[in-house]
Amino acid sequence: MGLKASKPLPRLPVPEGMTRICVAGFGISHHTGRARRIADGIASVHPEKYETWYYFDTFGFRPEFLDSVKAELSEEQRKKFADHKSSPFCWLERSDGTKNALGGRDRLCDWVRETFKDDERDESFLSLTREEPTRQWKEVKFDNKTPGTAKTVS
């Protein structure tokens, strides 16, 4: 008997006018934990525009789940991210059905710094994008159980 992967929560259509920040990865990872903290911060400061969806499973993330998410991307994005195998994998889903893959935590940080510039409330999560996450236990062992803010039941 081996360990079994958990089943991801459903990703329902994104509500009109919202952007869903999706983060998936290993259940224990300093980069994945930091990505979650950043996404949580954005949804907390801007709940009218952003929601979050997460899947964290050390055994189920790769290859099955990661490959299934990549299969949902446009052909151009599938080619761009074909070699991405690290944790986390971050992407955006919009209410018009489009998906925009970002890649790892580093690319999530780039997107955050490009997108959030004018609101002083954003500093609470922007500060997390300016340096590498530490390998301290608080970063490595993050909340990998609490789901994001996205509705997962119709």
Side-chain angles (χ1 to χ4, degrees), residues 21-129:
I21 304 167
C22 301
V23 179
F26 299 138
I28 296 178
S29 161
H30 60 301
H31 289 292
T32 305
R34 178 64 65 92
R36 184 198 170 112
R37 287 178 60 201
I38 292 166
D40 282 346
I42 294 168
S44 176
V45 173
H46 300 285
E48 73 288 352
K49 294 181 185 175
Y50 295 93
E51 64 179 22
T52 56
W53 181 92
Y54 304 124
Y55 176 68
F56 304 121
D57 188 320
T58 300
F59 302 102
F61 170 63
R62 189 180 65 198
E64 291 84 11
F65 180 78
L66 181 56
D67 288 348
S68 72
V69 168
K70 289 182 192 179
E72 297 176 17
L73 301 173
S74 68
E75 184 176 344
E76 178 183 336
Q77 290 185 79
R78 282 194 306 273
K79 287 178 184 175
K80 180 177 180 180
F81 293 102
D83 293 332
H84 185 101
K85 292 179 177 41
S86 60
S87 175
F89 187 70
C90 307
W91 72 98
L92 307 174
E93 296 180 353
R94 298 206 163 77
S95 54
D96 65 3
T98 59
K99 293 178 177 70
N100 179 25
L102 300 172
R105 185 226 18 108
D106 52 348
R107 299 291 81 87
L108 172 67
C109 290
D110 291 345
W111 173 78
V112 169
R113 287 190 302 269
E114 291 168 9
T115 304
F116 301 94
K117 298 177 183 175
D118 300 325
D119 190 331
E120 64 186 39
R121 298 176 303 158
D122 297 342
E123 188 55 32
S124 64
F125 57 83
L126 276 169
S127 62
L128 298 171
T129 70

